[in-house]
Amino acid sequence: MGSRPDVPLLGEVEQLVLLAVLRLGDEAYAVPIRALIKEEAQVDLSRGTIYVTLERLERKGYVTSWFSDPQAVRGGKARRIFRLKPPGIAAAKAAKSAVDRLAEGTVVSPKAVGKKA
Amino acid sequence: MKSRAFNAALRLVPAEWRETVRLDLEQDAGLLKRGALWCAGQAVIVAATMRWTFGGSAMFSDLRSAVRSLMHARWFTIGAAVTFALGIGVNLAVFSVVDRLIFRQLPYANSQELVSLRSCNPKTGQCGASFPAAVTKEAAQLSAIGEIAVVSYTSAYALGPDSDAPPLSLYLSSANALRVLGVRPVMGRDFEHDDVQSKRSVALISFESWQRRFGGDPAIVGRRVGKSLSTEIIGVLPAGFIPPSWMQSDPKWSGLALSPEGPVMAPFARLKPGHTVAAAQAEMSALAARVLPPPPPAAVGPLPRIRVDLLDGALFDRYSKYAWLVAGAAAVVLLMACANLAGLLIARGRSREHEAAIRTALGASAARVVFAAMLEAGLVCLAGACIAWLTLLASTRLIVTALPAMFARYMEAATEPRVIVMALLASAVCGVVAGGWPGARMAYVPVAAVLQRGGRTGRQTRLPGGRSLLVIESALGVLLVLGAVLAIRSFNVLATESLGYEPRDLYVVKVSGGTGRPAPADSFLQYQELLRLTSDIPNVVGVAGSDSVMTNGATAMRGFSKDRNIRGARYEVGAGFFRLAGTELVAGREFAGEEVQALAPVAMINEAGLALVWPGVTSKDAVGRVLTLTDEAPRTIVGVVPQLRRNAHGDPEEAALYVPLGNEPAFYGEALLRMAPGVSPPLDQIRQRVTTRIGPRTAAVTSVQASLEPSLQDPRFRAVLLGTMALCALLLAGAGLYAIASFDVSQQRHEMGVRMTLGASATEIQRHVILGALRPTLVGVLCGIVGGWWAAQVIESFLYKTDHRSPLTLAVVAVVLLCTATFAAWIPARRASRTDPAVVLRAQ
């Protein structure tokens, strides 16, 4: 039995949402988060799932949110923007390295990608 | 995007996410070119997902808050729970009785494949228990039906040679019965071929008898019962096993005994795989036509000679309609209890508008407010269901003694999981229904307006929705009261209507037994001796001979006509029989002594028989006519007899022909005795005389009056059942009306104060309140009478001689409802009239 990691492990959907928030930066609100996950990960998450995951990440202290000013266009509206907090970044890193460590030496390791098995 | 549907849907989303979801959905809708309805649908999906995930903690908090709130309003909770207990209690009791009859499958393997076989008269449709052996022998050729099994008559088995305990009542069964049913004994073994070959007397007892009569004795297998301990118990049937016998419903049924080879009675069989009842019926009809002697041409009717029916239908058809009626009446009571609870919760919700507005202002979504109201209603329902269940548990024995035999036999215990599940399910459904309406009202209170006016309840002086609930409750109440009035009137008719004879001080002396069966002529001589020996007993007013007129026995089975082409019965009576019975003949006279002695070709007929043989002929004109029936000499009609109701159950009278006693001497054994008023016949003296003058025989004396009593049990039960439900309905309607009128009065105190200051008297105030409550009740009563007009036709088919169109019945129903409503409204009206205007106006 290994020792319990300092940073709790993330769920699959949590990882996806966390990474999407990281990628989107100042444009990280629910609509582009969902679109990015669909485009990059080929996973079509429902709106409800996105909100539930964001709520859960916020409760865990991994993300923070605030309402932006209305967009500087005609009829522009405010958005609820999400941003990763340091524990969120740590959790994303921990999740990524855990996967990498596990994949080490296997056909799915980053180094092996592109080579013939 | 402005849309009421979208805004309403957004209110279901947790408050902290509502704005986010709105903005995001509006953006998506713009990109995807979708409208407001799409947004509303998406919002509902998002809300459902979020509430499903995060609802747990909120639900717990709502539950805690509901319990606290109900405990705070203790008297409201107790009142609401008790009135709801009334409604659900009736339903639980009814469910435990009718569940087996209408909702559950028979406890046999693949019971939908089992069929009953009955031999019927193709013209009259009358089916009997006996089954032609010729058909049974050839049944193996049938491709649709497997082997035939039999569970028929009951037979009594004493527990031991000197046992005083009630005997076991075992149904005689063929060896293959359990195999055909697909049932295995839970202990011991099934009947075997070897038992039949060695003519062993063996029995399987029911699980319930094993527990009740033998205390669950583990060594039951191998135990011997019977007067000479000749019958061996070889196994125990599974719990809840139902004997597949449509012929009788013996509440004391305690198992099966292997039947010696004999005539086939009431058989049943299993359909072979892939065959339907219709296919089996077609095959059976073809077989019957081949192996049975052809019926007389006049007897060929549209009905089959052998009927194949699903066993389920054959066992319970007679009762299932009745059971559905009872279940329907109980459901109406539950509906009323639900409406009543909704009314109470609306009234309570109205006084808690301020609290609801604060919750909404603090961000509670509409869904959360509605859910909280449902939870509160559900808790009240659950409390009511607990009260009802405990009452049922405590009163099961009492209910069983009051039930007719058929229902008593199949009543389930309160501890049966299905009864408990039903209680929980009904509570949950009623909680949703009764809590949903007031919850929705609370969820959409105008927050700003309510908060501005503080704790005051505003200008509305009447309970919104209260009137509609009163209309519903009154209409449903009318249905039940109408049913009760009809059942009580029907019972009254049965109990007081003339039976066609005077049963008081009338007794039947029956002699049976003896060694060997005497020749018919000797039997008749013995019978005449019985009449002589009973006639000179002290206090005997008179004795008359007859065969089974009072017990519907042997000669009745012979049929009206010998070719059985007329559905009816034939009885043999001696001279002076009807005079002794206290029957007033409709026309003509009864047999003279000489006519009976000479077996003259005379007959008497009843009115139903007259209508059958000479339609349109009056009773007076029938006297003197000559009746010619197939295969017998013509008979002159000397008198017309009224309807003789031998069992008071109110069935339509069967055609009956009366001929002089001794026409077909067989095994007569009954004498009709009229005693001096209040004196019982001396049984010991009769027995002694019978033994001395006839021989070793068993003599029994039955009071005709007492023998009528069991047949009144069922109609009495109907009257009591519907009466109880109507009483519950009146209590519920009264409680609902009281609650709503009280609420109105509390809201109108200021108005009352002003009226009284302006000179209104206490009587005027009372009239104002009572009329306000009576108006919706009157509307409900009218609606109920219209609905009742139709529903009563259904109820009437179960009752004897009632007329739902009778203005008196409808007037009684309306008066009962309006009186209840007046009384319920009078209590708060009286309180209102005692208001001190100075105090009320000062408080404002």
Side-chain angles (χ1 to χ4, degrees):
Chain A
M1 292 282 282
S3 62
R4 189 186 158 89
D6 295 338
V7 182
L9 280 177
L10 292 170
E12 190 184 38
V13 178
E14 284 177 335
Q15 283 186 43
L16 292 174
V17 172
L18 213 58
L19 290 171
V21 171
L22 199 60
R23 275 271 295 268
L24 287 164
D26 288 345
E27 283 299 306
Y29 60 96
V31 176
I33 291 173
R34 182 166 172 249
L36 185 66
I37 292 173
K38 189 175 179 184
E39 192 183 319
E40 297 292 336
Q42 309 294 313
V43 179
D44 192 1
L45 296 175
S46 73
R47 286 179 185 78
T49 309
I50 298 283
Y51 293 126
V52 164
T53 312
L54 285 168
E55 165 85 28
R56 200 175 280 141
L57 291 172
E58 201 165 16
R59 283 184 191 183
K60 287 179 179 175
Y62 293 166
V63 298
T64 181
S65 70
W66 71 95
F67 277 96
S68 69
D69 293 332
Q71 288 169 309
V73 291
R74 187 181 165 84
K77 287 178 178 166
R79 303 279 172 228
R80 186 171 178 176
I81 306 292
F82 294 85
R83 177 173 290 169
L84 251 61
K85 288 167 75 174
I89 296 170
K93 278 183 181 169
K96 174 78 173 60
S97 56
V99 172
D100 287 347
R101 277 198 303 276
L102 267 175
E104 191 73 50
T106 68
V107 291
V108 295
S109 74
K111 291 173 191 169
V113 172
K115 295 178 185 173
K116 280 188 181 173
Chain B
M1 186 175 291
K2 282 185 181 170
S3 154
R4 288 184 71 174
F6 183 33
N7 285 335
L10 276 174
R11 296 197 65 175
L12 301 173
V13 176
E16 60 274 27
W17 283 91
R18 204 172 293 156
E19 189 58 16
T20 311
V21 173
R22 187 177 67 80
L23 291 168
D24 291 349
L25 281 177
E26 280 176 355
Q27 187 190 354
D28 262 3
L31 292 171
L32 300 169
K33 307 247 182 288
R34 300 297 176 106
L37 271 182
W38 178 84
C39 289
Q42 293 295 319
V44 170
I45 296 170
V46 168
T49 316
M50 298 190 81
R51 290 205 171 274
W52 179 256
T53 314
F54 298 118
S57 57
M59 194 170 127
F60 184 71
S61 128
D62 283 344
L63 186 67
R64 206 171 40 196
S65 150
V67 170
R68 205 178 293 147
S69 150
L70 288 173
M71 282 177 71
H72 186 67
R74 200 172 298 126
W75 290 113
F76 165 85
T77 310
I78 292 172
V82 168
T83 47
F84 184 74
L86 212 60
I88 189 122
V90 168
N91 275 268
L92 281 187
V94 166
F95 178 79
S96 63
V97 175
V98 303
D99 182 33
R100 167 61 73 196
L101 297 180
I102 55 181
F103 296 125
R104 296 178 82 155
Q105 282 210 332
L106 291 172
Y108 314 132
N110 300 324
S111 61
Q112 68 283 0
E113 292 173 1
L114 290 164
V115 288
S116 86
L117 308 171
R118 284 184 278 183
S119 167
C120 305
N121 182 324
K123 187 166 177 82
T124 61
Q126 212 169 8
C127 298
S130 63
F131 196 78
V135 175
T136 323
K137 271 183 200 161
E138 302 290 327
Q141 306 168 4
L142 299 175
S143 62
I145 290 178
E147 61 179 318
I148 290 177
V150 176
V151 169
S152 60
Y153 288 120
T154 187
S155 188
Y157 288 73
L159 284 186
D162 305 313
S163 173
D164 290 333
L168 292 174
S169 172
L170 304 179
Y171 283 6
L172 297 179
S173 155
S174 61
N176 61 349
L178 289 195
R179 201 168 58 245
V180 172
L181 295 173
V183 173
R184 298 276 317 148
V186 285
M187 191 190 272
R189 63 173 178 88
D190 191 359
F191 299 131
E192 285 167 4
H193 187 60
D194 192 38
D195 296 327
V196 182
Q197 285 208 318
S198 53
K199 295 191 174 166
R200 214 173 286 150
S201 177
V202 287
L204 289 158
I205 61 161
S206 71
F207 187 88
E208 293 75 16
S209 299
W210 175 46
Q211 293 295 318
R212 206 173 47 243
R213 305 289 301 273
F214 298 96
D217 179 8
I220 187 71
V221 176
R223 192 163 164 168
R224 291 187 163 270
V225 292
K227 272 198 171 165
S228 52
L229 294 176
S230 56
T231 304
E232 183 189 352
I233 295 175
I234 57 163
V236 178
L237 293 163
F241 179 83
I242 292 175
S245 169
W246 59 267
M247 295 198 304
Q248 52 196 323
S249 56
D250 182 358
K252 295 187 196 101
W253 172 77
S254 36
L256 304 175
L258 182 61
S259 165
E261 293 286 343
V264 177
M265 309 292 275
F268 61 92
R270 187 175 284 281
L271 292 174
K272 285 183 181 167
H275 288 86
T276 61
V277 177
Q281 177 69 72
E283 265 199 337
M284 189 54 90
S285 294
L287 176 67
R290 205 168 61 246
V291 301
L292 295 180
V300 179
L303 300 164
R305 297 179 74 183
I306 304 288
R307 266 183 66 176
V308 181
D309 299 297
L310 275 177
L311 187 62
D312 192 1
L315 286 184
F316 296 140
D317 246 8
R318 282 178 289 173
Y319 307 97
S320 67
K321 253 182 159 182
Y322 181 19
W324 273 112
L325 175 80
V326 174
V332 170
V333 177
L334 188 63
L335 215 59
M336 284 188 73
C338 228
N340 200 9
L341 186 62
L344 289 173
L345 288 169
I346 287 178
R348 183 170 145 77
R350 183 92 174 86
S351 56
R352 290 171 66 201
E353 269 184 357
H354 188 68
E355 182 192 325
I358 291 175
R359 289 190 76 173
T360 311
L362 288 176
S365 67
R368 179 107 184 245
V369 175
V370 174
F371 180 72
M374 286 179 181
L375 209 57
E376 207 171 289
L379 285 174
V380 172
C381 293
L382 197 64
C386 285
I387 297 171
W389 185 79
L390 289 171
T391 314
L392 179 67
L393 195 66
S395 58
T396 304
R397 273 197 185 172
L398 193 72
I399 295 172
V400 167
T401 51
L403 285 173
M406 177 66 187
F407 290 112
R409 184 167 141 190
Y410 294 122
M411 180 166 177
E412 286 167 348
T415 45
E416 177 82 16
R418 282 172 70 96
V419 177
I420 296 170
V421 168
M422 159 71 185
L424 294 175
L425 206 66
S427 303
V429 172
C430 291
V432 170
V433 173
W437 189 353
R441 297 198 75 90
M442 281 169 73
Y444 292 98
V445 288
V447 178
V450 171
L451 291 181
Q452 265 173 10
R453 68 173 183 246
R456 299 188 307 278
T457 45
R459 279 185 300 137
Q460 245 180 341
T461 53
R462 290 205 160 153
L463 188 65
R467 256 99 221 115
S468 317
L469 286 174
L470 278 185
V471 170
I472 295 171
E473 282 197 49
S474 311
L476 294 175
V478 165
L479 288 184
L480 288 173
V481 175
L482 182 60
V485 170
L486 289 175
I488 290 168
R489 286 189 70 182
S490 162
F491 176 70
N492 190 41
V493 169
L494 273 173
T496 57
E497 196 182 45
S498 164
L499 298 167
Y501 55 93
E502 179 48 58
R504 263 177 300 176
D505 305 316
L506 208 57
Y507 293 85
V508 172
V509 178
K510 191 167 185 174
V511 175
S512 57
T515 48
R517 180 172 285 184
D522 294 342
S523 169
F524 190 47
L525 288 174
Q526 287 176 0
Y527 180 65
Q528 285 170 324
E529 183 58 37
L530 171 68
L531 296 180
R532 273 195 295 277
L533 72 87
T534 44
S535 60
D536 57 356
I537 287 173
N539 292 315
V540 169
V541 175
V543 178
S546 78
D547 184 32
S548 62
V549 173
M550 288 299 160
T551 50
N552 212 5
T555 45
M557 298 289 282
R558 288 179 188 155
F560 190 100
S561 59
K562 286 187 176 173
D563 63 359
R564 292 184 172 270
N565 224 352
I566 296 174
R567 188 174 180 164
R570 175 181 296 212
Y571 303 101
E572 298 192 356
V573 292
F577 174 83
F578 290 107
R579 195 179 60 247
L580 186 83
T583 303
E584 272 186 44
L585 296 184
V586 180
R589 58 168 177 87
E590 60 179 306
F591 304 135
E594 306 79 55
E595 284 172 329
V596 176
Q597 271 189 340
L599 297 177
V602 288
M604 296 171 79
I605 194 167
N606 71 352
E607 287 171 304
L610 182 61
L612 215 60
V613 292
W614 293 311
V617 173
T618 63
S619 302
K620 273 190 178 173
D621 293 344
V623 176
R625 279 195 173 217
V626 176
L627 177 66
T628 309
L629 296 170
T630 319
D631 299 336
E632 59 184 308
R635 290 180 182 277
T636 308
I637 300 294
V638 296
V640 179
V641 181
Q643 177 184 1
L644 301 184
R645 278 170 40 211
R646 278 168 295 274
N647 51 15
H649 55 40
D651 281 350
E653 191 195 8
E654 214 177 31
L657 189 72
Y658 298 89
V659 297
L661 188 73
N663 257 284
E664 285 185 56
F667 22 90
Y668 303 142
E670 282 180 26
L672 192 68
L673 234 72
R674 183 168 289 286
M675 298 296 295
V679 182
S680 300
L683 181 59
D684 288 340
Q685 200 178 350
I686 294 173
R687 277 184 176 160
Q688 194 195 348
R689 287 185 179 202
V690 166
T691 315
T692 345
R693 288 161 67 173
I694 298 179
R697 299 278 193 281
T698 317
V701 176
T702 323
S703 156
V704 172
Q705 176 102 49
S707 64
L708 290 170
E709 186 51 29
S711 65
L712 282 173
Q713 194 194 10
D714 198 28
R716 186 187 290 124
F717 171 70
R718 280 175 215 183
V720 169
L721 180 75
L722 285 170
T724 310
M725 287 191 187
L727 194 67
C728 290
L730 287 176
L731 280 173
L732 286 171
L737 196 128
Y738 169 77
I740 290 169
S742 295
F743 182 83
D744 286 352
V745 165
S746 71
Q747 297 290 295
Q748 293 173 14
R749 285 187 76 207
H750 180 70
E751 185 191 322
M752 306 276 183
V754 173
R755 279 172 182 253
M756 290 178 91
T757 313
L758 292 176
S761 66
T763 318
E764 281 170 329
I765 294 290
Q766 286 190 11
R767 194 186 307 139
H768 170 75
V769 174
I770 291 175
L771 284 180
L774 277 187
R775 250 175 247 126
T777 311
L778 198 61
V779 175
V781 167
L782 290 175
C783 295
I785 285 177
V786 173
W789 189 272
W790 171 81
Q793 291 177 34
V794 183
I795 300 171
E796 263 185 13
S797 60
F798 295 93
L799 302 174
Y800 177 65
K801 282 193 183 173
T802 53
D803 183 12
H804 69 281
R805 286 159 302 185
S806 141
L808 179 69
T809 308
L810 297 177
V812 166
V813 172
V815 166
V816 167
L817 254 294
L818 291 174
C819 283
T820 310
T822 309
F823 178 71
W826 173 73
I827 303 168
R830 192 161 155 266
R831 200 165 52 227
S833 67
R834 290 182 174 179
T835 308
D836 183 350
V839 174
V840 175
L841 294 177
R842 204 179 301 132
Q844 296 291 315

